[in-house]
Amino acid sequence: MIGRRTGTVVVAGVLGLAGCGVDGGGGGDGEAKGRTSAVGAPADRSPSVTPSPSPSPSPSASASASVGPSAVPVTGPDQKLATMTVTGGFAGVHRTVILRGDGTAYTSEKGEPVVRSVGADRFRELLTLLGDPALAEVPSFTRDMSARDLFQYTLTFGGRTVVTDRSGDEPALDRLIAALSELLPQN
């Protein structure tokens, strides 16, 4: 798994090799003075590369590009799109939400189950949050072991499980947790 900075360097390197500037310029005008290539050599000293008429991005470049999230596909009404369990805290919380492919959310708090419709707009929003490419960069385990009485969030989505106490800086994960938390029973 590559980090955000490594992904940026990979994209910059690919763009540099293709003769494009990282700043979006370099549209083939031949004026590369003042820019540097990915390896630090001035761009006007590197060999000229002519891009093909319709270049297809490499897998690493397309995965790291800053493309907005797209909704995850729904394969059936029984599909579990995301599961989040919140545990811990001083009072011993144990709350669960399961987002299903039919647009319903199964929620429970200490064993009291409730199934309700999420609503079309909220469901689309959740699918888009789940499709955020930044979630692929989130570590599987992030906890501040010295902190006490923090909630622990265990999320399963996209074939992986993430455990966090939200002590790390993970904006995509925080948005997903906030949206799923709105589905939980309110005390």
Side-chain angles (χ1 to χ4, degrees):
M1 180 181 299
I2 60 173
R4 290 181 189 145
R5 289 185 180 144
T6 304
T8 303
V9 171
V10 170
V11 170
V14 169
L15 292 174
L17 292 174
C20 301
V22 175
D23 61 355
D29 61 1
E31 295 295 321
K33 294 178 181 148
R35 289 192 307 245
T36 59
S37 67
V39 292
D44 56 351
R45 292 187 198 163
S46 62
S48 137
V49 176
T50 305
S52 60
S54 58
S56 60
S58 70
S60 62
S62 62
S64 299
S66 60
V67 176
S70 60
V72 296
V74 177
T75 60
D78 293 334
Q79 178 185 8
K80 288 182 182 179
L81 297 166
T83 301
M84 180 176 76
T85 302
V86 183
T87 57
F90 181 72
V93 168
H94 188 101
R95 300 162 69 190
T96 300
V97 60
I98 300 171
L99 180 65
R100 295 173 25 132
D102 63 357
T104 60
Y106 165 90
T107 62
S108 71
E109 181 162 7
K110 296 184 180 179
E112 301 283 333
V114 175
V115 178
R116 66 174 189 220
S117 177
V118 173
D121 291 339
R122 172 65 75 178
F123 189 61
R124 277 192 297 278
E125 175 190 347
L126 288 163
L127 292 176
T128 302
L129 288 171
L130 286 166
D132 191 336
L135 288 175
E137 303 291 327
V138 172
S140 295
F141 187 81
T142 309
R143 286 197 54 208
D144 181 353
M145 300 308 274
S146 64
R148 300 288 182 250
D149 294 332
L150 293 178
F151 291 120
Q152 176 176 299
Y153 299 83
T154 303
L155 292 97
T156 303
F157 58 90
R160 64 184 294 225
T161 299
V162 173
V163 178
T164 184
D165 60 6
R166 298 182 81 177
S167 60
D169 184 26
E170 300 295 341
L173 184 62
D174 287 339
R175 286 189 296 271
L176 179 60
I177 290 172
L180 289 171
S181 293
E182 290 177 10
L183 301 175
L184 289 169
Q186 302 301 316
N187 297 350

